[in-house]
Amino acid sequence: MALIVHKYGGTSMGSTERIRNVAKRVAKWVRAGHQLVVVPSAMSGETNRLLALAKEVAPEKPATAYYRELDQLAATGEQVSVGLLAIALQAEGLDAVSYCGWQVPIRTNSAYTKARIESIDDARIRADLAAGKVVIITGFQGVDAGGNVTTLGRGGSDTSAVAVAAAIKADECLIYTDVDGVYTTDPRVVPEARRLKRISFEEMLEMASMGSKVLQIRSVEFAGKYRVPIRVLSSFTPWDIPIEEEARSGTLITFEEDASMEQAVVSGIAFNRDEAKVSVLGVPDRPGIAAQILGAVADANVDVDVIIQNVGKDGRTDFSFTVHRNDLNRALDVLRTQVVPALGASDVVGDARICKVSVVGIGMRSHVGVASRMFRCLAAEGINIQMISTSEIKISVVIDEKYMELAVRALHREFELDQPEDQLQGA
Ligand code: ADP
Ligand code: ASP
Ligand code: MG
């Protein structure tokens, strides 16, 4: 008997028929003798619909009071899902009980719309499991110290599932989604993309942080911190396939680096069009500038990604960085009102028409020349690089968003990612 967490994404929960299908799959695992905690997302399109309703009522206001209500609203999508799934499981003859984040409770900080999980009380979950129940917990939401409902950022149900798995020390966390695993790049953009049977935790971390939406980055961080074994697999296989087959399908996120994985120099291409570039122009070129600019942005609770500071000329320089597109106005507002006047900079401009494309692979550690190969490939397509950032196992470039698909396809080809895995690994 194993203790297992299943997470089902929006498409997997997309209709009452699909919910019944999820219930049948969960029931199969329970009947095979496993203890199950299930974490579903809102039905597909629901979170978007709810957030659009808010915009219909009034334009977005960058204020804590407003974000609190957005969370109150957006969290309802998952509440509908858990209720429906519990009813479907009861109809399957199982004892099932559903909870919202605050009922568990899943405690978070108060950063509305992107709250971080701080702790999960496992007492209620354990008691229900011991009583033979299937426990269903809302993805995406938690509660802060003041009792306010919070949400974990888009795609946050992955994080809820992995955090619950860590809290109850589950044997495995299975992330059921609408693709049958993690691919070399988004198969919707590159049809030749290939499924990876395994991907190292570090690569998955980079892929997720670079924009691959298959797993929310924080879920991968949790998995790393608490060593939660994760498998990404399809919820679109027939629900009654044998458990042994299902348990081996999809992509396993591994913590060991086996020899065969080392051989692929690049394992995947990630891309992200959710970022925007901010440039502070005519900044005096003196020590402490970066701290002043980025400090003010951090105080406004805006995360910064790629940073570039140009070489100064005449004692002045331009300082650029990327932020999430949703945070662009917040960042520009802080910079315009506080930083530009304080620094005596000349202006601040924002550009939302950018994207970031990254090549990721632990094989880069032992291979030189990956960056130049990437830059040559983009140059051959006539794509101008605006910013570059690197780590030991990834290289990212910021480019004009209109070239995104072209860049991803060209790089996928350049690094031979459409070749069958066996051929690449010489197996
Ligand atoms: P869910 O609703 O199940 O959480 P998501 O839409 O959040 O599903 O994530 C699954 C989607 O992620 C896939 O449909 C696919 O388009 C996209 N995706 C992006 N990059 C990758 C990748 N490298 N491998 C697989 N899927 C990817
Ligand atoms: N329903 C939430 C969203 O759409 C969380 C999730 O699906 O993971 O972002
Ligand atoms: Mg998702």
Side-chain angles (χ1 to χ4, degrees), residues 179 183-193 207 211-214 269-271 273 408 412:
V179 270
Y183 277 65
T184 48
T185 194
D186 190 341
R188 285 183 214 268
V189 172
V190 182
E192 297 77 28
M207 288 283 277
S212 165
K213 299 245 154 63
V214 64
I269 316 279
F271 54 85
R273 42 185 148 202
V408 174
H412 198 265

Side-chain angles (χ1 to χ4, degrees), residues 7-12 41-42 44 155 157-158 175-189 193-196 204 207 211-216 232-233 235 268-271:
K7 181 260 170 175
Y8 291 91
T11 323
S12 313
S41 294
S44 58
S157 299
D158 297 329
I175 309 272
Y176 288 87
T177 183
D178 56 4
V179 270
D180 62 353
V182 178
Y183 277 65
T184 48
T185 194
D186 190 341
R188 285 183 214 268
V189 172
R194 184 171 46 79
R195 180 171 63 83
L196 300 160
M204 194 63 239
M207 288 283 277
S212 165
K213 299 245 154 63
V214 64
L215 286 178
Q216 199 201 35
V232 176
L233 67 172
S235 70
I269 316 279
F271 54 85

Side-chain angles (χ1 to χ4, degrees), residues 4 34 103 120 129 137 146 320 374 409 420 427:
I4 297 180
H34 301 299
Q103 292 172 303
I120 296 181
L129 288 172
I137 301 173
S320 301
M374 179 185 191
R409 286 209 189 92

Side-chain angles (χ1 to χ4, degrees), residues 73-153:
L73 168 70
T76 61
E78 271 70 11
Q79 183 167 351
V80 170
S81 285
V82 292
L84 289 175
L85 185 55
I87 290 169
L89 277 166
Q90 289 170 4
E92 285 296 317
L94 297 184
D95 204 355
V97 58
S98 76
Y99 296 113
C100 287
W102 62 268
Q103 292 172 303
V104 174
I106 297 179
R107 297 200 184 281
T108 72
N109 64 12
S110 304
Y112 299 116
T113 75
K114 49 182 171 186
R116 281 181 181 268
I117 295 178
E118 289 177 340
S119 67
I120 296 181
D121 186 344
D122 65 352
R124 206 163 183 178
I125 307 176
R126 286 195 183 281
D128 285 332
L129 288 172
K133 293 181 187 168
V134 179
V135 182
I136 308 168
I137 301 173
T138 47
F140 186 49
Q141 53 164 278
V143 62
D144 75 0
N148 305 294
V149 172
T150 55
T151 69
L152 309 179

